[in-house]
Amino acid sequence: MDNKSVLNINKNYWDRNADEWFGVTSLPTYGVQFVTEDELKLFGDVAGKKMLDIGCGSGHSLKYHGDNNAAELWGIDMSTKQIENANKYLTECGYTPKLINAPMEVEYGIPKEYFDFVYSIYAIGWTTDLQGTFNRIASYLKKDGIFIFSWKHPLHHCVVVEEDKLIFEKAYFDENWFTQLLDDCDITLCNRKISTYINALGKAGFVIEQMVEETDKATMSSTGNLDNRSKKAKMLPLSFIIKARKL
Ligand SMILES: C[S@@+](CC[C@H](N)C(=O)[O-])C[C@H]1O[C@@H](n2cnc3c(N)ncnc32)[C@H](O)[C@@H]1O
């Protein structure tokens, strides 16, 4: 499937379902049943810093940084409805964000060598052009600027739970695009290997400072009659985070 068709399918999903995702995948949460920014403190002190959120959704992660005294809040998202929601939410909270309604696959007048932090909470994996997206993100950052992103762990996609066993159902190596139904609407994604992310970061001029694969403490200590997701989360990470620095 060509990249333009993938973007159209996914934009349609996000425009139709934006309200259902209002504030769902946003900082301090990095992923479901996963360690949070409250514990990890990957951003450190953002006071006075310029922030760019890739796939900013409803704007809740930008608000998190605004509440921690970040100087500038920028976001890009290809969903018109998400950008409308984010604009309304952040304005009501007293912020004046700069929000851009465009795919992360294009340059859209975002300033170069400008940001202290570029980050993305559960949005990077939607890109149809990983290397180009990482190259652009590197270009937006100042030297030594930080890029942090979280996404679904590729093992989570490959493994299913059957009773008390985890079964490998899909090949970890398969990075082909697939279409599935979510909320009665098509989405198209691919499941990239961890090495694909790491190698693309290196090529874009980043050095990796930290990678996090850690289920939250509550899940790890849970016992008794667990749902399938908890059973899985106790055995493998459902999400991962990479923190990288632009050289
Ligand atoms: C799970 S949501 C992330 C929500 C966000 N972290 C928040 O705080 O609300 C994923 C977002 O990525 C956006 N998205 C998907 N594909 C995109 C693309 N190619 N370019 C830009 N945004 C994209 C969607 O519109 C959606 O808002």
Side-chain angles (χ1 to χ4, degrees):
M1 191 182 289
D2 63 289
N3 290 355
K4 206 170 159 215
S5 308
V6 173
L7 285 175
N8 282 338
I9 290 170
N10 292 339
K11 178 170 166 35
N12 177 56
Y13 172 83
W14 284 105
D15 280 341
R16 284 175 58 177
N17 293 281
D19 290 346
E20 274 63 59
W21 288 91
F22 191 73
V24 174
T25 41
S26 56
L27 290 170
T29 301
Y30 280 107
V32 178
Q33 291 180 272
F34 206 69
V35 276
T36 69
E37 175 61 7
D38 293 336
E39 295 145 275
L40 293 167
K41 303 203 183 317
L42 297 178
F43 282 88
D45 184 7
V46 299
K49 303 294 187 195
K50 295 172 181 161
M51 320 294 290
L52 169 63
D53 187 333
I54 306 287
C56 64
S58 53
H60 287 70
S61 296
L62 286 168
K63 176 179 183 291
Y64 177 84
H65 291 307
D67 293 349
N68 287 322
N69 303 315
E72 291 186 24
L73 305 177
W74 292 63
I76 178 167
D77 200 293
M78 75 166 171
S79 161
T80 311
K81 181 68 178 145
Q82 287 278 53
I83 288 289
E84 280 170 17
N85 285 355
N87 241 326
K88 185 167 181 290
Y89 175 64
L90 288 165
T91 308
E92 281 170 4
C93 293
Y95 294 109
T96 46
K98 294 187 174 73
L99 300 180
I100 296 158
N101 184 198
M104 62 181 100
E105 288 86 344
V106 298
E107 298 210 8
Y108 213 82
I110 298 176
K112 299 283 171 76
E113 309 211 340
Y114 187 75
F115 293 94
D116 300 288
F117 288 93
V118 178
Y119 67 94
S120 179
I121 312 302
Y122 259 81
I124 280 295
W126 291 97
T127 186
T128 54
D129 171 19
L130 188 71
Q131 188 63 60
T133 298
F134 282 174
N135 292 347
R136 273 181 293 282
I137 288 170
S139 75
Y140 305 146
L141 279 165
K142 295 174 182 169
K143 184 181 172 339
D144 288 323
I146 295 292
F147 174 38
I148 295 172
F149 72 93
S150 71
W151 184 247
K152 181 176 176 177
H153 198 290
L155 283 177
H156 182 16
H157 175 77
C158 297
V159 171
V160 291
V161 180
E162 281 184 16
E163 295 181 358
D164 282 335
K165 287 198 166 60
L166 265 59
I167 314 241
F168 243 92
E169 194 191 47
K170 297 189 184 90
Y172 180 76
F173 304 113
D174 183 359
E175 297 191 322
N176 289 313
W177 290 89
F178 60 89
T179 300
Q180 68 177 53
L181 274 180
L182 184 62
D183 310 317
D184 293 328
C185 198
D186 278 345
I187 55 168
T188 299
L189 279 169
C190 66
N191 190 50
R192 297 180 175 98
K193 296 177 289 182
I194 291 286
S195 55
T196 300
Y197 290 100
I198 287 175
N199 293 331
L201 284 168
K203 234 174 160 179
F206 286 103
V207 62
I208 292 172
E209 291 203 333
Q210 198 171 337
M211 179 169 170
V212 183
E213 298 175 295
E214 208 178 319
T215 295
D216 64 7
K217 287 194 187 72
T219 305
M220 289 308 282
S221 58
S222 58
T223 51
N225 210 0
L226 300 179
D227 58 35
N228 278 354
R229 196 168 58 192
S230 298
K231 284 181 191 167
K232 205 198 246 193
K234 283 178 81 122
M235 300 287 276
L236 56 83
L238 303 186
S239 304
F240 70 98
I241 307 169
I242 291 183
K243 174 178 177 179
R245 183 166 50 82
K246 177 184 169 176
L247 290 174

